[in-house]
Amino acid sequence: MKKIFNTLICAILIVVLCLLAAKIINMHNNPRYLNDGYEEYYRKEVKDDKISELTEKDNTKDNLENSNNTSSKIAENVQNNTITKKNENKSKTNNNIKSEEIKTVTDDKKQETVVSYDKNASSKENNNIDTVNKEEPKVCSANEELDKETNTCVCKVGYEKDSNGTCVKKETPVVTKNNLVSYNGWLKIKDNTLVNERNEKIQLKGMSTHGLQWYGEYANEETIKDLKEMGSNLIRIAMYTEENGYISNRNIKEKVAKIVEIAKKEDMYVIIDWHILSDGDPLIHKEEAKEFFREMSLKYKDYPNVIYEICNEPNGNVTWENNIKPYAEEVIKVIRENSKKSIIIVGTPTWSQEVDKPANNKINDELVMYALHFYSGTHTEWLRERAKEALKEIPIFVSEWGVSDASGNGGVYKEETLKWLKFMKENNISWANWSLSNKNESSAMLITGAPSNKISEEYLSESGIIVRDALKN
């Protein structure tokens, strides 16, 4: 028994000794007992373990951000270094960088380098960069402005260069009020009367030529200028269609063009008259009329002085509803394709006396006027009363009148003529007198044998004297 007990004690001691030996070996490898820096080591190891554990999921994001930030800063530094080198080579004034401070920042996660520049120096550097890349803008005077495309100074609107190259204010010509085109411009219709661009009433007064194929030579620059000096602001061109007129002689329109240009030069209004007479129905030559007015309206679309009269005196078995209005609507449409602002005169039935007919059936155009023709020896108070009533509905233009009877001859009816002149003045009705010729008839302005290049007192007929006084008044 004693032998067994001793054996057990020995076994226990052997086990204890083995445990002590293992402990000693473990202590030898443990810095807690062998290294005084254990506490610092231990804390670092624990902290690194926690950091690694907490940031494991964000490593990819942080790496991308750090990569982008690093790339951006590298690009910025490269750009700044490049700009600095350019400025050092091109200008000695780019010494604006006052300080450069390099600071190293270290934390538990990363290490980076920050370069700090003085703000004022950076701003000045940018200005210097602009100067290098852009041409210095010119300094313009008070009357000039800079053309950015060419970097040159040009005159402002309303200014022009004088002989010395200096921009000075343009001189606007002062147009005093008168009865000519330069002041009145494009004409309009307001309250059934003719007005100018300023909406002021205007009365056109002047002469009508006789047939161009017979007395065209009297419509020339000298005679038209003489008429203007008398007070005329209008010339009417009577271009007959038949009777050796336009239909058989198309070249007659060249004479029309010459008179239009003379009128323009003299600052006067002009009527281009499609002068039907023996061909009383305007529909007879409707297609020729459309062709003619298409050409004229295109040629003179920018002439504020040109007025179109599209059928002088419809007559015979012709009515407003069946003949004149349908014709007029087609021709007006052609004119309006080119000339939107021109006044157009439309003849009325019975040699342009029945102005009451269109008064009840107007053409749909705001710039259309209706022709009234009278001869003092034939047309008296009864026609004035008709015209007075028609004026309530339509604008009237007396595009032809004479001091004689309707034949153009048979005496001078001065008293009745003065009544008509008064009526036209009171109602602001424009007119053209028949005729600028030396024909041996009482309605001619000039006596027989009068020259074609001058209108003077000694050559005026009795009709011419009455008209001269009317023009001056």
Side-chain angles (χ1 to χ4, degrees), residues 16 74 92 200 208 222 228 231 297 345 365 445 457 464:
V16 169
I74 290 172
K92 294 181 180 181
E200 301 168 340
S208 173
E222 289 76 16
K228 179 183 176 182
S297 61
I345 303 171
D365 190 299
M445 186 180 197
E457 291 290 331

Side-chain angles (χ1 to χ4, degrees), residues 329-395:
E329 287 175 334
E330 287 195 47
V331 175
I332 290 170
K333 183 179 179 181
V334 169
I335 294 173
R336 290 291 179 240
E337 289 175 357
N338 300 313
S339 182
K340 310 293 186 185
K341 300 191 292 183
S342 299
I343 295 293
I344 298 174
I345 303 171
V346 180
T348 56
T350 315
W351 294 277
S352 288
Q353 295 168 38
E354 296 183 9
V355 288
D356 53 320
K357 297 299 190 293
N360 300 318
N361 188 8
K362 293 185 286 189
I363 293 171
N364 186 25
D365 190 299
E366 295 180 351
L367 295 176
V368 164
M369 304 185 78
Y370 301 86
L372 172 66
H373 292 182
F374 72 85
Y375 284 82
S376 301
T378 304
H379 310 108
T380 57
E381 187 63 28
W382 61 270
L383 187 53
R384 287 194 291 274
E385 288 298 324
R386 180 186 290 176
K388 187 182 296 184
E389 285 300 311
L391 280 170
K392 296 177 182 178
E393 303 295 333
I394 59 173

Side-chain angles (χ1 to χ4, degrees), residues 281-282 314 316-326 349 354 357:
D281 186 351
N317 190 23
V318 171
T319 66
W320 174 256
E321 292 78 8
N322 298 329
N323 305 84
I324 304 171
K325 187 180 180 184
E354 296 183 9
K357 297 299 190 293

Side-chain angles (χ1 to χ4, degrees), residues 254-286:
E254 295 177 3
K255 179 64 175 178
V256 173
K258 288 181 180 179
I259 300 173
V260 170
E261 293 303 323
I262 293 170
K264 179 184 178 183
K265 181 180 178 181
E266 294 302 321
D267 203 18
M268 296 170 66
Y269 290 92
V270 58
I271 297 174
I272 298 176
D273 167 35
W274 183 259
H275 200 87
I276 66 169
L277 189 59
S278 60
D279 50 333
D281 186 351
L283 290 172
I284 293 175
H285 298 302
K286 180 186 71 175

Side-chain angles (χ1 to χ4, degrees), residues 50 195 214 390 437 467:
K50 289 182 179 180
V195 298
W214 300 312
S437 73
V467 173

Side-chain angles (χ1 to χ4, degrees), residues 80-122:
N80 289 337
N81 289 336
T82 301
I83 292 171
T84 302
K85 289 178 180 180
K86 287 182 179 179
N87 291 337
E88 287 175 354
N89 293 333
K90 295 183 179 181
S91 174
K92 294 181 180 181
T93 60
N94 295 330
N95 297 322
N96 296 311
I97 298 177
K98 292 183 179 180
S99 63
E100 181 177 350
E101 180 181 358
I102 301 177
K103 185 191 295 182
T104 302
V105 180
T106 305
D107 56 17
D108 295 330
K109 292 196 289 184
K110 60 185 177 179
Q111 189 176 28
E112 61 184 348
T113 302
V114 178
V115 180
S116 175
Y117 293 100
D118 180 79
K119 291 183 179 179
N120 292 331
S122 179

